[in-house]
Amino acid sequence: MAEQLVELNVTGMHCNNCAMSVHKLLEKKGLQNILVSFASEEVKFSTADQSILPSVINDIESLGFHVVEDAATHQTPFYDKVENKFFFCALFTAPLLLHMVLPWHFLHSPIVQLILCLPVFIVGCLHFGKSAYGSLKGGVPNMDVLIFIGSTSAFVYSLTGTIQNLGEQYLFYETCATIITLVLLGNVLEKRSVNQTTSAVKALMKFQEVSANRLVTDGVEVVNAKDIAAGDILLVNEGGQVPVDGDILSGEASINEAIITGESIPVQKKKYDSVIGGTIVQQGNIKIIATKVGSNSTLAQIIDLMKRAQAAKPPVQKLGDKVAAVFVPVVVLIALLTFVITYFATNTGLQNSMLHAIAVLVISCPCAMGLATPTAVMVGLGRAAKNGILIKGGDTIEAVTDTKYVIFDKTGTLTTGKFSVQDIKPEGGFDIEAIRGVIVAIEERSNHPIAKSLIDGLKGLSKQKVILRTITEEKGLGMRAEDVEGNSYFLGTAKAGADDGYNLSLYKNQKLTAQIAVDDTLKPDALALITSLKKMGIKPVLLSGDKAGRCASVAKTLGITEVHAEKLPDEKLAVVDVYRKKGKTLMIGDGINDAPALTQADVGVSMNDASHIAIQSAKVILLNTDMRSVVTFLQISRHTLLTIKQNLFWAFAYNIVAIPVAALGFLNPMVGALTMAFSDVIVIGNSLRLKVKKV
């Protein structure tokens, strides 16, 4: 029996560790082609036996996740939204913290503190407990395990002190509540970042949600693009969007294919030519027959490429999560050893043995570790924003460490996307002034973008006026004209064999008169950026859907040696993958055709004037026009990561000293709380230093 692809919508996965837990579960069941994306809430796998599906769904839900019919229509219950959990916990945590500064005696009461802490603790147990259990079951322990142990041990320690009336030095309710509330805030920020990333695919899907004019026996009916079948005859008018892939049966049109190829110059299409769904008819009207519809269309395949690129990324675990995998079992083992040795070797009784063991867990509470990464990231992201750089998520900062390649799209990234006349090369015996006059006279009758560029560039320079008697446009070729003296002219696309870089030719009476080079202009700071990257030991690469000649010209001007031209979206994806295998890779682009490649790269960087899709796909958006901000982004990222490492050192240095002291029973809980707070102050202070640090 042939294997079939199964797609499930799974909600509740809020980190890569969640996705890894599901992945390991499906691997154990022997399923093939497994693809799990926590960002898009999708789980895919292949199986020949459809009868195992109910048991697979039950096992996924036993990890604490939910399988839903349609993720788009699924409504998360009010009480299950992480934002509502955070606000609820903050409401109870605030008075617990205020008891340390306000002279309100009732806030010092252990019972009042217990009543305030209990709702927060219950929310924390349900939220982090589920994630901790799932990560342990999947064999990938995360920071939630530490948060759960830390908050629970602080609560149990405090509850013991309250029940036995041991005094204020045994109350850690505010520690328990603060840990839970702060980490929930981090989850809220992470969720918002994830939502921005996943909206890229949703935005692409909107291009599929268009109506189409379908020819039927009694006229024309308007249908949704999803309802079009292969073989349907469709009418597409000027200004309209081609609904599906097809072949032209009649008519001619100038079609903007930038969504697919990245080429900003419209392409002339005539009878029997192929058209692609999602492209725009700028001029003309065409009748097409649908050939590729649904999941077979080019646009649908780009969407699938993006989803796969997102899901296939190796998960970038936070440094804290990496360490937690070792730290959690070590701390639990030390606490158990403390209990056993204290109980059996010192005969201090069950109560003291328990308190010593819990003291170890309280002291090793991962508050400083929990703050180490987010505080540095927040300061780093803030500094980047002041420099006009929007970075989505702290993982991006880690992902750009030791970048070896920066891949650039050409049009709209290194160039402005606005066309201008680069050069006019007259043939022997022909006057440049006369040539300019003929070009302006002919192109004034055309609406083509290149024609407008020629007029804008030459009108002020043209001294000789040429009077034309007739003029006709040959679609896809150029313009033919005849002046009042009977001379015939042709201005159009350069024929094969013309000088490289010259893309237009002018003929007078069938004789070549001039060759014209028209291209989009380089951005003024592009050369400075490429030079800076080379100094940093990073290799620039040009990857474009544009013609090889134009790409080679741009690369030569900027000093880029590695060039990949005339690449379609799936080919761009393959090129990015090759460079990723050689080293850390950044991709900088601005078009929808760049979206899969931006997602596939270690980090995608989008221009501020880019298409909405590229912006949503990229992890970094340059909000200003200065391209050198790419270098600023790399430098800020490097120093932010350095700060995270310093913070983790201080957080662990505290634990390395405090845990043995607590295990030996020498640490007073009040001193423990003070040193814990001191480690937090060091971590936050070091992070704030990043605001003014020279990068």
Side-chain angles (χ1 to χ4, degrees), residues 120-304:
V120 181
F121 178 64
I122 291 169
V123 169
C125 279
L126 293 172
H127 184 81
F128 298 113
K130 181 181 76 172
S131 173
Y133 172 72
S135 72
L136 288 171
K137 195 173 180 182
V140 192
N142 60 9
M143 278 296 281
D144 287 348
V145 176
L146 284 174
I147 302 302
F148 182 72
I149 290 176
S151 57
T152 303
S153 59
F155 183 80
V156 171
Y157 193 89
S158 306
L159 190 63
T160 305
T162 303
I163 292 168
Q164 300 197 4
N165 200 22
L166 297 174
E168 281 195 6
Q169 68 268 32
Y170 281 88
L171 299 183
F172 284 91
Y173 289 120
E174 73 279 354
T175 303
C176 170
T178 304
I179 293 167
I180 291 167
T181 306
L182 277 177
V183 180
L184 280 172
L185 174 61
N187 285 0
V188 169
L189 297 173
E190 187 177 4
K191 183 188 172 190
R192 289 184 178 179
S193 171
V194 167
N195 284 342
Q196 284 181 317
T197 308
T198 54
S199 61
V201 174
K202 292 169 191 169
L204 261 182
M205 286 175 172
K206 285 181 182 175
F207 280 93
Q208 297 177 304
E209 295 168 6
V210 294
S211 55
N213 299 316
R214 180 165 65 188
L215 283 180
V216 289
T217 50
D218 55 348
V220 178
E221 66 171 353
V222 178
V223 295
N224 192 293
K226 291 178 182 175
D227 299 326
I228 296 169
D232 283 352
I233 310 298
L234 311 168
L235 289 177
V236 189
N237 298 320
E238 189 167 306
Q241 180 180 307
V242 178
V244 293
D245 293 9
D247 293 332
I248 297 176
L249 295 176
S250 64
E252 294 181 345
S254 175
I255 297 180
N256 187 334
E257 294 187 338
I259 183 176
I260 304 297
T261 64
E263 176 57 74
S264 50
I265 300 176
V267 181
Q268 290 299 138
K269 298 280 187 176
K270 57 186 186 300
K271 191 174 181 180
Y272 304 129
D273 284 345
S274 296
V275 290
I276 303 167
T279 57
I280 308 295
V281 177
Q282 288 195 339
Q283 282 183 298
N285 301 287
I286 51 174
K287 185 192 291 182
I288 68 169
I289 180 169
T291 54
K292 293 179 184 175
V293 297
S295 60
N296 294 322
S297 71
T298 306
L299 195 57
Q301 285 170 6
I302 288 180
I303 291 167
D304 188 57

Side-chain angles (χ1 to χ4, degrees), residues 309-498:
Q310 274 185 337
K313 278 190 173 198
V316 183
Q317 289 185 330
K318 290 187 176 73
L319 286 172
D321 279 350
K322 290 177 182 175
V323 175
V326 178
F327 186 74
V328 174
V330 168
V331 170
V332 172
L333 185 64
I334 292 170
L336 286 171
L337 285 172
T338 301
F339 172 77
V340 171
I341 293 168
T342 309
Y343 185 71
F344 290 105
T346 63
N347 293 317
T348 54
L350 180 64
Q351 179 186 318
N352 283 334
S353 302
M354 282 289 291
L355 286 174
H356 282 178
I358 294 172
V360 170
L361 291 171
V362 171
I363 293 310
S364 66
C365 173
C367 210
M369 265 189 290
L371 289 169
T373 303
T375 53
V377 165
M378 280 190 278
V379 176
L381 298 186
R383 180 158 182 181
K386 282 188 177 179
N387 285 275
I389 305 157
L390 182 62
I391 304 171
K392 294 183 186 173
D395 285 352
T396 304
I397 284 165
E398 189 179 351
V400 298
T401 319
D402 305 322
T403 297
K404 290 190 177 178
Y405 300 97
V406 175
I407 301 176
F408 293 92
D409 176 44
K410 183 182 79 71
T411 308
T413 304
L414 291 172
T415 64
T416 59
K418 295 173 183 174
F419 294 89
S420 64
V421 179
Q422 303 292 313
D423 189 29
I424 296 177
K425 186 168 77 174
E427 296 300 314
F430 290 99
D431 178 46
I432 185 70
E433 292 292 337
I435 289 165
R436 286 174 182 157
V438 172
I439 293 171
V440 170
I442 294 173
E443 296 292 40
E444 278 180 329
R445 309 283 186 93
S446 174
N447 290 320
H448 198 282
I450 287 185
K452 291 175 182 174
S453 299
L454 287 168
I455 295 163
D456 292 341
L458 299 177
K459 203 160 191 177
L461 301 171
S462 175
K463 307 296 182 193
Q464 294 187 17
K465 185 71 176 172
V466 178
I467 301 171
L468 300 176
R469 179 186 292 158
T470 62
I471 187 162
T472 56
E473 184 171 359
E474 294 190 1
K475 297 279 184 183
L477 294 173
M479 306 284 286
R480 290 199 183 274
E482 187 179 315
D483 64 17
V484 291
E485 296 172 5
N487 297 305
S488 64
Y489 299 94
F490 175 75
L491 175 61
T493 308
K495 293 180 180 176

Side-chain angles (χ1 to χ4, degrees), residues 96 105-118 173:
L96 268 175
H105 292 295
F106 76 92
L107 286 177
H108 292 260
S109 164
I111 300 300
V112 171
Q113 289 188 30
L114 171 60
I115 291 166
L116 287 169
C117 181
L118 191 59
Y173 289 120

Side-chain angles (χ1 to χ4, degrees), residues 540-544 548 551-552 555-556 560-565 567 579:
V541 180
L542 185 60
L543 173 61
S544 177
C551 291
K556 187 178 179 183
I560 298 174
T561 54
E562 296 194 24
V563 182
H564 304 269
K567 299 293 181 188
Y579 281 102

Side-chain angles (χ1 to χ4, degrees), residues 566-602:
E566 300 181 28
K567 299 293 181 188
L568 292 171
D570 56 334
E571 294 170 327
K572 283 190 174 186
L573 207 60
V575 171
V576 170
D577 213 37
V578 167
Y579 281 102
R580 276 191 72 196
K581 286 170 183 170
K582 294 195 280 185
K584 283 279 180 73
T585 302
L586 260 72
M587 168 80 191
I588 305 178
D590 78 322
I592 293 170
N593 62 299
D594 298 321
L598 287 170
T599 311
Q600 177 75 345
D602 289 300

